Amino acid sequence: MTLTIGIDVGGTKVAGGVVDESGNVLASNRRPTPAEDPAGTRDTIVEVAAELAAQYPQATAIGIGAAAWIDAAGSTVLFAPNLAWRDEPLQAYVSKAVGLPTVLDNDANVAAWAEFRFGVAAHADDSMVMITVGTGIGGGIVLGGKLWHGANGIAGELGHIQSVPDGHPCGCGRLGCLEQYASGNALVRFGRAGARQEPERAAKLLELAGGDALAITGRQITEAARAGDGVAMDAFAQVGYWLGVALADLAQSLDPQILVIGGGVIDAGPLLMGPAERTYRDQLAQRNRFPVAEVRAARMGNVAGVVGAADLARLAG
């Protein structure tokens, strides 16, 4: 059985694993990410990969998923907002340092690939779009059974499609991006605003935040919403609405077999999935004579990045 190494590089951790052909993680390790030190981050990736390669010398290749824009050749990190990388030739460096063929891709792409191959979309054979909802929003697109990278390697930046013309400013420089209305940060913004405007409907939420609306966190919004707090439930309804609108747009644009919602915010379960799916169906009500993509929650969890990267490395071999 072919074994490969997957590395998931984020702003706080570098996680690695040895993965078999069925997507099972046989061994894993991790290190903190020295995010302000590009060379240190690069060498931490090498340490994680080399340790796993020594443990499993039969491993044949390395796959890396990084929270960054990757060039079309899959060789260079063009830009990484949370890792201080700029035009970093990461693929060749890791391959030479560890002595194994190496594949480099975006972290959302590799997570999407894991769901397509082994997760909730494993029954699909043609296409899938995944939106990852965390602090921000990412995405991955599979068309014709392959990841779609676009002409310049940076396709799938779904958080930066526009939802609201002249809307809330986004860190990318545009106004009204989906990320400003359907991310974890947006959830917190909605919750804090609602608590200030309607404190009587936010009793539980404010209790959890010590009475300070500006101290409200995403976890507190989830806990309060599960307890029936009106403002917290409204915050999820708003995020779910904008997510559902985006899903409908993606269904109209790409006509995939399945739409997947992933990322940390889906831990809220029906609080998020319910309004997202209802809005999605409402937006496509006039298409009821045609099949539309099903909407599902991701199920690979925290291992998606490692598994997807490892599998891409295997397929490239």
Side-chain angles (χ1 to χ4, degrees):
M1 178 174 287
T2 303
L3 302 181
T4 48
I5 295 168
I7 309 290
D8 183 12
V9 185
T12 60
K13 72 177 188 313
V14 176
V18 177
V19 182
D20 69 16
E21 295 173 355
S22 299
N24 300 307
V25 179
L26 306 183
S28 61
N29 62 0
R30 67 171 56 198
R31 302 274 196 287
T33 304
E36 300 302 317
D37 179 4
T41 300
R42 179 188 66 195
D43 292 337
T44 298
I45 294 168
V46 170
E47 290 175 14
V48 168
E51 180 179 294
L52 292 168
Q55 189 176 354
Y56 282 83
Q58 64 269 49
T60 60
I62 300 166
I64 302 171
W69 288 357
I70 311 298
D71 71 340
S75 62
T76 302
V77 177
L78 300 174
F79 175 77
N82 299 313
L83 293 170
W85 271 334
R86 305 293 184 271
D87 297 317
E88 177 74 29
L90 183 63
Q91 181 264 340
Y93 183 89
V94 173
S95 181
K96 182 178 180 180
V98 184
L100 289 173
T102 300
V103 170
L104 174 64
D105 212 322
N106 170 267
D107 62 338
N109 281 345
V110 301
W113 186 250
E115 291 292 344
F116 182 73
R117 287 275 288 151
F118 307 110
V120 72
H123 63 287
D125 57 5
D126 175 73
S127 51
M128 179 203 78
V129 179
M130 178 167 158
I131 295 182
T132 56
V133 184
T135 302
I137 286 183
I141 301 169
V142 177
L143 297 175
K146 296 181 179 180
L147 273 171
W148 184 50
H149 293 94
N152 301 298
I154 56 174
E157 290 293 332
L158 305 180
H160 300 292
I161 57 178
Q162 190 179 66
S163 294
V164 180
D166 299 321
H168 198 79
C170 183
C172 75
R174 301 184 74 197
L175 299 176
C177 289
L178 176 65
E179 186 165 289
Q180 299 305 313
Y181 294 89
S183 65
N185 281 343
L187 180 73
V188 170
R189 193 176 80 247
F190 292 144
R192 289 175 177 176
R196 290 196 304 269
Q197 293 164 8
E198 300 181 274
E200 71 284 352
R201 295 185 64 241
K204 180 63 176 178
L205 188 52
L206 286 168
E207 175 191 331
L208 292 171
D212 182 1
L214 294 179
I216 289 170
T217 67
R219 290 184 182 275
Q220 290 166 352
I221 295 172
T222 301
E223 183 178 346
R226 286 176 173 152
D229 184 277
V231 164
M233 294 176 70
D234 286 350
F236 273 108
Q238 290 180 80
V239 167
Y241 170 81
W242 291 112
L243 192 55
V245 170
L247 291 171
D249 288 343
L250 290 167
Q252 297 276 35
S253 303
L254 299 174
D255 191 26
Q257 288 173 288
I258 183 168
L259 291 159
V260 178
I261 303 174
V265 177
I266 67 161
D267 290 343
L271 290 170
L272 177 68
M273 295 297 295
E277 290 190 68
R278 285 192 296 272
T279 302
Y280 170 71
R281 298 295 174 187
D282 289 346
Q283 292 278 313
L284 297 179
Q286 298 306 313
R287 280 194 61 179
N288 60 10
R289 65 173 63 92
F290 303 110
V292 295
E294 59 180 315
V295 176
R296 301 286 296 277
R299 71 177 184 212
M300 293 293 292
N302 292 334
V303 301
V306 166
V307 171
D311 195 61
L312 287 170
R314 177 181 298 104
L315 294 174

